[in-house]
Amino acid sequence: MHDEQKPDHGILNVAEVQPLDVDGVRAVEIGTALWAVAFVALLPFWSSLAESGRLWWLWTCTTGLALGLFGIEYCRRRRDRAPQESPSRPPARGGGGGRRRAR
């Protein structure tokens, strides 16, 4: 069987999909922004939250925001430390997780 020919698995065709180059920065930024939006949205209800014993909701948003800011910096440093792939090197075949087929 040639490399170009894929085995017929019957009903399903399996596509060769390359993994995304994700460093996590954007995901952490979006999560941090959502915590900030939740905090701002709850601020007008400060007194009613305090009366009902749910003021911890604001502190949860504050904690999520603080940890998100830490996470953004962590992910940026990890991304900057990662070895850069040389442009002359061809992309790896196979891709992400799953089982490997014997060749």
Side-chain angles (χ1 to χ4, degrees):
M1 184 172 11
H2 299 289
D3 286 339
E4 293 84 24
Q5 294 177 341
K6 303 291 181 202
D8 185 17
H9 295 291
I11 298 173
L12 300 176
N13 290 327
V14 179
E16 292 288 332
V17 179
Q18 295 296 323
L20 294 175
D21 185 25
V22 179
D23 54 21
V25 175
R26 180 168 295 160
V28 176
E29 288 173 343
I30 291 170
T32 304
L34 290 174
W35 282 116
V37 167
F39 179 80
V40 171
L42 288 173
L43 272 179
F45 304 104
W46 182 290
S47 60
S48 63
L49 289 172
E51 290 172 5
S52 65
R54 293 188 178 117
L55 196 57
W56 62 270
W57 288 7
L58 284 170
W59 296 115
T60 301
C61 293
T62 304
T63 304
L65 181 61
L67 288 174
L69 292 173
F70 173 76
I72 290 170
E73 184 62 25
Y74 177 83
C75 287
R76 284 182 180 166
R77 287 184 184 198
R78 184 184 62 195
R79 176 190 61 195
D80 294 342
R81 262 194 331 261
Q84 300 297 323
E85 194 170 313
S86 65
S88 62
R89 191 170 146 193
R93 288 195 72 196
R99 294 184 290 186
R100 293 190 182 266
R101 288 183 284 193
R103 293 185 186 229

